[in-house]
């Protein structure tokens, strides 16, 4: 983890700084870089300077990061933690492919978690029809 991304006041790393670092230092042969970490990560959201998050991805882009740090909240099941991790990875990769947050379906993994792990638990491991159509249109 680059020291330049460390936010000492909250003992975590700035996800936007990490993404920019990865973008500057990535192998040009890579299509997409998916960074995985166990460290706590954050970004700015609205008037909150340092908002803790589970993942962040450029939209569109070729770099995203996912942290497992917050995914074990309110569970003792490794299967549930793994399912959460997969959904966050899919979500951030969705941003890389140009998808925005879904407002069409409460079970679409592109829905904004809005700071709640329950949103991730409620989502499925597939895109809703609206997001699938948008993804197909972006490819054409």
């Amino acid at each position: 983890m680059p020291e330049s991304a460390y936010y000492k006041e909250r003992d975590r790393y700035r996800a936007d700084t990490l993404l920019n670092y990865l973008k500057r230092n990535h192998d040009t042969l890579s299509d997409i870089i998916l960074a995985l970490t166990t460290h706590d990560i954050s970004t700015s959201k609205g008037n909150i300077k340092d908002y803790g998050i589970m993942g962040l991805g450029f939209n569109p882009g070729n770099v995203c990061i996912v942290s497992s740090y917050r995914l074990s909240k309110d569970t003792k099941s490794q299967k549930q933690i793994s399912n959460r991790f997969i959904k966050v990875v899919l979500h951030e990769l969705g941003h890389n492919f140009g998808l925005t947050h879904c407002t069409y379906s409460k079970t679409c993994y592109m829905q904004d978690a809005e700071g709640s792990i329950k949103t991730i638990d409620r989502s499925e491991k597939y895109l809703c029809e609206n997001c699938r159509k948008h993804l197909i249109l972006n490819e054409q």
Side-chain angles (χ1 to χ4, degrees):
M1 299 289 274
E3 190 176 318
S4 62
Y6 185 64
Y7 187 66
K8 186 177 180 178
E9 289 82 0
R10 300 293 297 271
D11 190 29
R12 55 187 174 198
Y13 290 84
R14 297 287 300 173
D16 48 350
T17 304
L18 291 169
L19 291 181
N20 287 321
Y21 173 86
L22 290 167
K23 188 172 184 173
R24 281 191 315 273
N25 296 294
H26 84 286
D27 178 350
T28 57
L29 299 176
S30 302
D31 290 329
I32 290 182
I33 296 172
L34 168 61
L36 307 174
T37 184
T38 58
H39 294 285
D40 195 12
I41 60 175
S42 64
T43 192
S44 297
K45 184 174 182 174
N47 61 354
I48 303 171
K49 179 182 175 186
D50 189 61
Y51 186 79
I53 56 173
M54 294 164 261
L56 188 68
F58 285 142
N59 185 350
N62 65 344
V63 180
C64 59
I65 186 166
V66 173
S67 170
S68 61
Y69 184 84
R70 297 172 179 275
L71 300 179
S72 60
K73 182 180 179 182
D74 298 330
T75 186
K76 294 181 179 156
S77 161
Q78 186 58 45
K79 183 176 180 178
Q80 186 177 28
I81 295 168
S82 295
N83 281 330
R84 288 173 173 175
F85 189 77
I86 290 166
K87 291 174 192 179
V88 176
V89 166
L90 291 170
H91 179 95
E92 299 311 333
L93 288 171
H95 285 315
N96 282 172
F97 287 109
L99 294 175
T100 58
H101 286 143
C102 180
T103 57
Y104 181 76
S105 169
K106 290 187 183 260
T107 60
C108 181
Y109 66 73
M110 286 309 299
Q111 187 178 48
D112 187 345
E114 297 179 358
S116 175
I117 198 77
K118 292 177 183 176
T119 305
I120 295 169
D121 289 339
R122 182 177 57 235
S123 71
E124 300 292 336
K125 292 180 194 169
Y126 59 85
L127 291 170
C128 70
E129 182 180 340
N130 190 55
C131 289
R132 279 194 307 270
K133 285 179 185 177
H134 185 75
L135 189 60
I136 290 169
L137 291 174
N138 283 346
E139 289 180 1
Q140 296 176 356

